[in-house]
């Protein structure tokens, strides 16, 4: 193995141990949690190695980096998640490679995604990104809609050609009532998911937890964790 492959394999094994331990502690089966490796800022060669090591889900947050990487890796059996703030002028590009967009937070974006997905004949999974520090249905700076805005967006996604409503996503908030209370934040997301599933039973994905807090997310019921740093290393630049 190359040095990089040895390193990524060791990091992946550690993350796998953490997920398995968190599942065991919560009385959950390991198969209830899917690892998504966030490959943003890292090269396509790393994505290829991760695929060789058995990773099946990767995530990116900037179209200008993700589009060429996804093209270089189009031969690999990967599910691509888009987790960054998405401008409508990037939708056309993102829909070419993204299987799931986790950062759906406004109706204009839903309309643009639907139009493009239908045009190219793809089905794009959508998670509503919830901003737990924006209680009034307003959008938050880092993206996301307040809890009060979930229902309307979810109904719109569910009614939009080319789109599939998959569930909810959040990033633990840095401000507001949940700042520094990650477990409470993820519990709130789970409650919102329970409510969402009454109207949309198939929308059962709950994407929460990153390198620093995946245990808290798995403990309360997250179905997908998004892990970057713990697998690939500290990112060379902000992203
Ligand atoms: C970068 C990123 C992650 C991964 O964060 P790490 O702390 O590196 O594990 C997860 N989710 C989103 C939305 C991200 O942008």
């Amino acid at each position: 193995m190359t040095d990089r492959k040895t390193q990524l394999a060791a990091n992946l094994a550690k993350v796998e141990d953490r997920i398995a331990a968190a599942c065991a502690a919560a009385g959950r089966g390991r198969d209830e949690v899917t690892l998504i490796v966030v490959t943003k800022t890292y090269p396509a060669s790393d994505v290829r190695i991760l695929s060789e090591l058995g990773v099946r889900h990767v995530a990116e947050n900037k179209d200008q980096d993700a589009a060429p990487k996804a093209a270089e890796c189009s031969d690999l059996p990967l599910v691509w998640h888009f987790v960054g703030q998405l401008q409508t002028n990037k939708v056309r590009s993102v829909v070419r490679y993204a299987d799931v967009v986790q950062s759906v937070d406004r109706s204009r974006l839903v309309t643009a995604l639907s139009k493009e997905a239908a045009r190219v004949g793809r089905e794009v999974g959508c998670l509503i990104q919830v901003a737990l520090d924006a209680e009034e249905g307003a959008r938050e700076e880092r993206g996301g809609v307040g809890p009060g805005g979930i229902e309307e967006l979810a109904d719109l996604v569910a009614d939009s050609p080319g789109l599939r409503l998959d569930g909810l996503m959040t990033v633990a908030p840095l401000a507001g009532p949940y700042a520094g209370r990650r477990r409470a934040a993820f519990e709130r997301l789970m409650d919102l998911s329970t409510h969402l599933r009454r109207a949309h039973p198939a929308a059962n994905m709950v994407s929460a937890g990153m390198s620093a807090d995946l245990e808290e997310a798995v403990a309360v019921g997250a179905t997908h964790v998004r892990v970057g740093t713990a697998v690939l290393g500290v990112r060379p630049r902000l992203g």
Side-chain angles (χ1 to χ4, degrees):
M1 285 206 280
T2 61
D3 287 352
R4 185 59 171 158
K5 190 167 183 180
T6 307
Q7 183 183 25
L8 291 182
N11 291 348
L12 260 184
K14 273 185 224 150
V15 168
E16 180 54 44
D17 283 350
R18 286 175 60 190
I19 297 172
C23 285
R28 303 180 66 196
R30 173 63 189 88
D31 60 352
E32 292 175 46
V33 178
T34 299
L35 169 65
I36 302 171
V37 179
V38 183
T39 49
K40 64 187 182 194
T41 77
Y42 285 94
S45 55
D46 280 351
V47 177
R48 193 161 287 278
I49 293 171
L50 290 167
S51 177
E52 288 165 11
L53 292 170
V55 169
R56 287 296 166 261
H57 293 260
V58 294
E60 289 283 331
N61 74 334
K62 285 199 176 70
D63 176 62
Q64 61 266 39
D65 296 337
K69 230 187 274 187
E72 256 185 83
C73 296
S74 61
D75 58 316
L76 303 176
L78 292 169
V79 177
W80 289 80
H81 297 254
F82 191 87
V83 299
Q85 288 193 55
L86 181 50
Q87 303 304 317
T88 48
N89 63 357
K90 303 286 189 199
V91 159
R92 190 163 188 163
S93 172
V94 167
V95 163
R96 277 197 218 131
Y97 58 86
D99 300 290
V100 180
V101 174
Q102 298 206 1
S103 44
V104 173
D105 63 358
R106 60 201 189 280
S107 54
R108 239 167 64 82
L109 180 57
V110 175
T111 308
L113 283 167
S114 172
K115 196 171 155 204
E116 187 59 19
R119 194 182 70 83
V120 299
R122 276 181 66 105
E123 184 176 69
V124 178
C126 293
L127 301 189
I128 309 297
Q129 181 178 348
V130 182
L132 292 167
D133 45 354
E135 288 285 340
E136 296 309 319
R139 281 182 65 219
E140 199 267 340
E141 247 178 62
R142 295 187 300 158
V145 66
I150 296 172
E151 189 172 334
E152 189 185 336
L153 269 185
D155 290 347
L156 182 61
V157 171
D159 287 340
S160 295
L163 305 184
R164 181 184 69 239
L165 180 66
D166 281 345
L168 301 179
M169 180 272 244
T170 203
V171 177
L174 300 172
Y178 292 103
R181 301 172 57 224
R182 292 182 290 209
R183 184 169 171 135
F186 297 148
E187 275 171 346
R188 174 85 170 113
L189 187 71
M190 289 306 305
D191 288 344
L192 294 167
S193 168
T194 302
H195 185 78
L196 175 72
R197 279 175 283 142
R198 283 192 203 119
H200 303 281
N204 58 7
M205 271 177 70
V206 181
S207 173
M210 321 201 297
S211 292
D213 53 21
L214 72 87
E215 282 85 0
E216 284 93 337
V218 171
V220 302
T223 63
H224 290 69
V225 292
R226 310 178 306 269
V227 179
T229 313
V231 172
L232 288 143
V234 176
R235 281 179 290 279
R237 59 185 163 86
L238 274 185

